[in-house]
Amino acid sequence: NAGVTQTPKFRILKIGQSMTLQCAQDMNHNYMYWYRQDPGMGLKLIYYSVGAGITDKGEVPNGYNVSRSTTEDFPLRLELAAPSQTSVYFCASSYNEGGASGYTFGSGTRLTVV
Amino acid sequence: QKEVEQNSGPLSVPEGAIASLNCTYSDRGSQSFFWYRQYSGKSPELIMSIYSNGDKEDGRFTAQLNKASQYVSLLIRDSQPSDSATYLCAVNEAGNQFYFGTGTSLTVIP
């Protein structure tokens, strides 16, 4: 049982480049989330999904896009990368609505935009 | 703007002592409360959840909730060096958005 798997673990992007952060879970969770964590700033919600085909914006969605074509996968797309997107990105999933049973987090993707 | 506030620390306690971590939140509609532990360079992992006023104990950990004061705390008894980590408080109103505090760094000194 792998839980939540994120790839890649590290990535360096140049300004203006694009990339997709992959997230997959094998727990059949309907609810999935993308967070970013900046030093000293806590976790901020970027996007979330309550099921396949349904996504919604979180607190800091600008510069990102998501899709949810299957229950298992929830990729995060960065278009036109900017230095402000340098951060650690965590994908999470939960069984209950609103994460009432808590989140299971992936191991994170450390992204640097130069 | 919903806010969850924690003292960033660092908080240092000697091995075997009780560590007390505190969190306040601004949204009176908040319904569920969580404590996560995050080791340096790792992802957060769930320690405790609490939904009702009062105390909830799980092994060496006790979560305390006071909704009237908008305050939630985590006590770690018999602190061990392996407890050294950053502790994140997370608050959820009805719905799908959690709000995380910035975390308190705890160091347990052998």
Side-chain angles (χ1 to χ4, degrees), chain A residues 92-110:
Chain A
S93 72
S94 68
Y95 176 74
N96 299 93
E97 179 179 4
S101 58
Y103 289 160
T104 299
F105 282 90
S107 58
T109 295
R110 187 175 297 273

Side-chain angles (χ1 to χ4, degrees), chain A residues 35 37 90 98-100 103 105-106, chain B residues 34 36 38 43-44 51 95-96 98:
Chain A
Y35 282 88
Q37 186 175 37
F90 288 104
Y103 289 160
F105 282 90
Chain B
F34 300 83
Y36 287 83
Q38 186 174 26
S43 57
Y51 310 99
N96 287 299
F98 270 80

